[in-house]
Amino acid sequence: MSSKFDFLRKNLYSMAELCLEQVLLLDDALEQDNSELARKLIDRDDLIDNLEKQNDNLSQNAILEAVANRNSMGMDQVDGEVVLKRDPLRFALSAIRITRNLERMGDQIVNCAKCFRRGLIPQRFFCDEEILNKLLSRVITIVGMAVESLVEEKNRFYGSVHSVEEEINNLCQSAFLKFVMDPRLDKNQFADVYRLILCLERTGDYAVNIAEELVRLNTGMDIRHVSDPVQAIAKTG
C-alpha cells in the first residue's frame, strides 16, 4: 500500500508545482502584455485537470485500503497524539480536499488568462499600474508558500499565509476603488479588470485553504472559522 500513497503524494506535489508555474506564467503574460503566453497557460490547464482525476481515484482507493488494513498497519496501537501525521487514512482524506483546492486555483488562473486574452483591457495596463503589480506579486507569494508547505507537509507557513491573505484582500479593495471611476476605462474594460482582480483574490483564497488543511493534517485542528487562527495554532505549539 505504501506505493499507492507515495504515488498520491507525488501527484499532489506535481499538481501544486503546476499551479505555481501557471501563476508565474500569468505574471509573465501580463507583465509582457503577451497574449500568446496567456494562450499557452490556458492550454496547460489540462495537465492539472488530468492530475485531479488521477488523485480522485487514488484517494478513494487509498481510503478503502487504509480502512481495510488499519489494524495490520498498526495504526490501532499508535497513541492519538502521534497518529495524525502517520495515519494514511487522514492523509488520503486531506489529499481529496487539497486536490480540489489546487484544481480550483488552476481554474482561477486560467480565468485571468482568458479575461486578458479578450483584449478589452488597455495595453500595458497591468505593466504600468503599481497596485496590480503588487497584487499579482503577493498572489505568487501566497501560492508559493502553500506549495512549499505542502511539499514539506508542515504548517509552519500558516502565520505568513494569513498575513499575505489580509494584504491581498486590502489590495483588491484598493484596486476596485481606484479603477471603478477611472476615466481611462469604459464599463466593459472595467468589468474585465475587476474580473481579473477577483480571480487573483480567489487564487489566494485557495492557497489559504490548502494551508488550513495542512494545519488540520498535522494537528487535527479545524481553524477555518476560528476568530484568531494564528493564535489558536500557537497554543498547540
Side-chain angles (χ1 to χ4, degrees), residues 27 59 136 234:
D27 181 47
S59 296
L136 187 51

PDB file of all heavy atoms in Angstrom, residues 27 59 136 234:
ATOM      1  N   ASP A  27       1.962  35.932 -14.624  1.00  0.00           N
ATOM      2  CA  ASP A  27       2.741  37.137 -14.322  1.00  0.00           C
ATOM      3  C   ASP A  27       3.528  37.586 -15.551  1.00  0.00           C
ATOM      4  O   ASP A  27       3.533  38.767 -15.902  1.00  0.00           O
ATOM      5  CB  ASP A  27       3.686  36.848 -13.152  1.00  0.00           C
ATOM      6  CG  ASP A  27       4.515  38.063 -12.758  1.00  0.00           C
ATOM      7  OD1 ASP A  27       3.944  39.160 -12.632  1.00  0.00           O
ATOM      8  OD2 ASP A  27       5.741  37.915 -12.577  1.00  0.00           O
ATOM      9  N   SER A  59      -7.064   8.596  -4.237  1.00  0.00           N
ATOM     10  CA  SER A  59      -7.506   8.898  -2.876  1.00  0.00           C
ATOM     11  C   SER A  59      -8.620   7.953  -2.442  1.00  0.00           C
ATOM     12  O   SER A  59      -8.616   7.442  -1.313  1.00  0.00           O
ATOM     13  CB  SER A  59      -7.991  10.347  -2.779  1.00  0.00           C
ATOM     14  OG  SER A  59      -6.950  11.252  -3.034  1.00  0.00           O
ATOM     15  N   LEU A 136      -0.477  40.964  -7.878  1.00  0.00           N
ATOM     16  CA  LEU A 136      -0.033  39.725  -8.515  1.00  0.00           C
ATOM     17  C   LEU A 136       1.191  39.155  -7.808  1.00  0.00           C
ATOM     18  O   LEU A 136       1.316  37.943  -7.616  1.00  0.00           O
ATOM     19  CB  LEU A 136       0.264  39.980  -9.994  1.00  0.00           C
ATOM     20  CG  LEU A 136       0.590  38.761 -10.867  1.00  0.00           C
ATOM     21  CD1 LEU A 136      -0.466  37.680 -10.701  1.00  0.00           C
ATOM     22  CD2 LEU A 136       0.701  39.178 -12.323  1.00  0.00           C
ATOM     23  N   ALA A 234      -0.688  28.708  17.586  1.00  0.00           N
ATOM     24  CA  ALA A 234       0.429  28.975  18.512  1.00  0.00           C
ATOM     25  C   ALA A 234       0.238  28.233  19.835  1.00  0.00           C
ATOM     26  O   ALA A 234       1.194  27.739  20.438  1.00  0.00           O
ATOM     27  CB  ALA A 234       0.566  30.458  18.756  1.00  0.00           C
TER      28      ALA A 234
END
